Amino acid sequence: MTDLLSWFSNPARRRPLLRALVAAQVLYVLGVAGAGYATTALGQKVVLATTPIDPRDLLYGDFVRLRYAISESPLSRWHDGTAPKRRQSVFVLLATGPDSLSTAVGVYPQAPKPSVGQAVLRGWVTDVYPASFNLRFNLERYYVPEGSGLRLEKAGRLHPLRVRVSIAPWGQARITGVAAEPTRAN
């Protein structure tokens, strides 16, 4: 033990270790930021229908909590022999309709192979009922500029909002925009 302490007491030995730790932290931050940008740039674009819930929080500022139309799924869309379990990781197969909105075609315990015009979104089961189950996608909170949360909430009462989501080939998903009017999936 004393040999280890005496080894670290030499400043010439500590500097390279300190530099390596700082470099690892910088690389981690750059990697997280790069993954977000890569998801937006390389991801497949889908548009999901949603309704906003509770757009204000005194501690966090303006954000819109989103409830997606695909968040509640009937058990008939479940493609496995056993019933889904709470907290289970699942994959939702999405198909783009003629109105450019993506809807759930099926929910799978393993990632399915999407066809042309389809995408796979990863989610988790939150609740299971006798005829349906609820899903979460970690896309339920979207921060907006100060003062615009109430505008989105009012627009969401009139008709579902359209959320543009980019899904990367490695499974990460990111909201790229929320619109009150119809949009096209670019």
Side-chain angles (χ1 to χ4, degrees):
M1 184 69 161
T2 57
D3 292 335
L4 186 61
L5 291 176
S6 63
W7 188 85
F8 276 112
S9 65
N10 185 349
R13 291 188 180 134
R14 283 190 306 218
R15 280 189 200 112
L17 183 61
L18 182 63
R19 287 182 183 141
L21 288 173
V22 169
Q25 290 176 347
V26 168
L27 286 175
Y28 176 78
V29 170
L30 291 175
V32 169
Y37 286 116
T39 298
T40 303
L42 303 174
Q44 184 177 1
K45 312 297 191 270
V46 297
V47 179
L48 301 173
T50 185
T51 54
I53 305 168
D54 188 43
R56 292 190 146 266
D57 189 326
L58 292 174
L59 297 176
Y60 295 109
D62 270 3
F63 69 91
V64 179
R65 185 169 293 150
L66 303 170
R67 173 94 175 131
Y68 295 96
I70 62 170
S71 292
E72 187 173 340
S73 184
L75 280 175
S76 61
R77 286 200 188 120
W78 179 247
H79 293 275
D80 193 30
T82 62
K85 295 176 181 55
R86 195 165 185 256
R87 297 189 200 130
Q88 179 180 356
S89 176
V90 296
F91 297 88
V92 180
L93 183 64
L94 301 171
T96 303
D99 58 353
S100 78
L101 284 176
S102 294
T103 57
V105 176
V107 183
Y108 300 84
Q110 287 86 24
K113 292 285 183 196
S115 303
V116 176
Q118 293 182 333
V120 177
L121 180 62
R122 185 171 183 201
W124 292 266
V125 176
T126 57
D127 295 304
V128 180
Y129 303 108
S132 66
F133 56 99
N134 291 339
L135 301 170
R136 178 174 159 80
F137 303 102
N138 282 345
L139 298 170
E140 284 78 16
R141 187 176 282 197
Y142 181 67
Y143 289 91
V144 295
E146 193 69 33
S148 63
L150 291 176
R151 180 184 55 82
L152 281 175
E153 181 188 22
K154 288 177 184 176
R157 288 182 195 151
L158 300 175
H159 52 80
L161 299 178
R162 292 173 174 246
V163 178
R164 292 183 307 276
V165 176
S166 183
I167 305 170
W170 54 89
Q172 183 178 1
R174 179 183 194 142
I175 296 175
T176 58
V178 176
E181 67 278 349
T183 60
R184 292 188 353 223
N186 303 2

